Amino acid sequence: TRERDSSVFFLNRSGPRYFDEEDSSGGGAPFLYCCNVVRTRLDSSLRRGADVRALTLCSRWPFVDVVRAELLTALDACLEPDADAAAIIARLYTALNALSTSKLPFPTPTERALFWRGVTARTCGDACRAHWPAPWTATLGTEDGISLSIPLWVGADDIGANHGPARLVAMFGAEQAVKIFSAVWARARIVFCGYAHNGVATEQVVSCVLSAASLVSPSLVGTLRRAFPFATLADLSFLQVSGYIAGVTNPVFESKEEWWDVMCFLDPHQRTDRGAVVVLSAQYE
């Protein structure tokens, strides 16, 4: 059992999203980006041997990942003896909602695309430096001492730099990352699988799913809509989504070969010189 872990999930998948041109005139409840943190405290006197608490923040902004540390701090405070959990969460809720994003200088879609391709004021030279957009990050703070560094370049299909393509290449190696890229582009059913007993954290599985989605972003707008960073047997509705990219920690998914075209194992014991293992199903090959 891990002392701390985290995950990302999405709500209102068909709803309109900020920074998403295809949804600019859409209606209904907005697409929500959700960051979830979990804290486990072992206690043999309890029924399951541990006190497990979770805290989730849902936002219409894609850079929801930046609040992870604040959520963990609040969750730790809730676990203190005689802590007033409701009051702690209420203060955090009020402080975060007091942050105003109305004046943030968000880059245009073209500027965001340039950032993802490694083009910066430093690399493009003096000729264009004077016309370069505002800094790529901005800091928002509150009277309660909360300070968040906002990545302005994040778009509707991005979560943050920690889940970019480089992370996937580092985990699986270039050769196997290309297989994953081709599968995402072809809308194959992709599952990232990692087990706790092998030392793989849920947040590692989640990050691989988000990194896979970023492989074709922003070329294929809407890729994140078919990403399920943490899928479970309790809700198999994702199986009805064309070309889903799912993250799982249950061995059952590995045995259900009819559920996937590409299985990507994060098991560190299976790592080779090229990275972790990518298995293609017979029908996909």
Side-chain angles (χ1 to χ4, degrees):
T1 302
R2 302 187 70 86
E3 181 179 334
R4 292 185 179 185
D5 212 338
S6 64
S7 63
V8 173
F9 62 94
F10 311 115
L11 297 176
N12 306 329
R13 287 178 173 274
S14 61
R17 306 183 302 180
Y18 277 79
F19 312 127
D20 202 336
E21 295 180 357
E22 70 171 8
D23 297 321
S24 59
S25 60
F31 183 101
L32 294 178
Y33 304 80
C34 309
C35 180
N36 178 68
V37 297
V38 180
R39 182 76 159 80
T40 301
R41 184 175 59 186
L42 299 179
D43 188 341
S44 59
S45 67
L46 298 178
R47 179 183 174 186
R48 301 184 64 180
D51 181 9
V52 181
R53 306 285 184 93
L55 184 59
T56 301
L57 182 139
C58 301
S59 173
R60 59 183 178 174
W61 300 108
F63 43 75
V64 66
D65 229 18
V66 301
V67 302
R68 187 185 305 272
E70 297 297 336
L71 291 178
L72 281 170
T73 298
L75 193 54
D76 285 344
C78 290
L79 287 171
E80 292 295 326
D82 302 320
D84 187 344
I88 293 172
I89 294 174
R91 285 197 297 271
L92 177 62
Y93 175 84
T94 300
L96 291 177
N97 276 288
L99 296 172
S100 175
T101 58
S102 61
K103 295 183 179 180
L104 290 178
F106 289 111
T108 65
T110 299
E111 291 167 348
R112 286 199 298 272
L114 288 173
F115 175 89
W116 276 114
R117 285 160 177 77
V119 181
T120 65
R122 179 177 299 176
T123 59
C124 72
D126 295 333
C128 67
R129 189 164 296 161
H131 304 286
W132 200 249
W136 291 112
T137 60
T139 301
L140 295 180
T142 70
E143 295 180 357
D144 291 348
I146 294 178
S147 180
L148 303 179
S149 180
I150 309 298
L152 302 179
W153 43 265
V154 172
D157 279 290
D158 308 312
I159 294 294
N162 291 332
H163 310 296
R167 185 179 183 89
L168 210 64
V169 175
M171 172 65 73
F172 291 91
E175 182 179 337
Q176 299 202 88
V178 169
K179 293 181 183 179
I180 298 173
F181 168 79
S182 299
V184 175
W185 191 269
R187 299 185 72 92
R189 299 170 300 166
I190 306 171
V191 173
F192 287 90
C193 186
Y195 304 138
H197 65 265
N198 285 328
V200 179
T202 298
E203 61 186 11
Q204 290 177 290
V205 177
V206 168
S207 186
C208 282
V209 172
L210 299 176
S211 296
S214 72
L215 286 173
V216 294
S217 174
S219 300
L220 293 180
V221 175
T223 303
L224 207 63
R225 289 189 185 278
R226 52 189 175 103
F228 296 81
F230 184 53
T232 68
L233 293 175
D235 182 7
L236 296 175
S237 59
F238 72 93
L239 295 177
Q240 308 304 316
V241 176
S242 174
Y244 58 77
I245 310 169
V248 304
T249 58
N250 193 316
V252 171
F253 288 93
E254 180 181 346
S255 62
K256 294 286 187 179
E257 295 188 20
E258 66 274 18
W259 288 357
W260 49 268
D261 299 311
V262 180
M263 175 68 74
C264 308
F265 292 98
L266 279 70
D267 184 347
H269 300 298
Q270 296 186 29
R271 287 181 63 86
T272 65
D273 293 338
R274 297 176 298 172
V277 176
V278 175
V279 178
L280 307 182
S281 67
Q283 62 265 30
Y284 186 69
E285 289 182 317

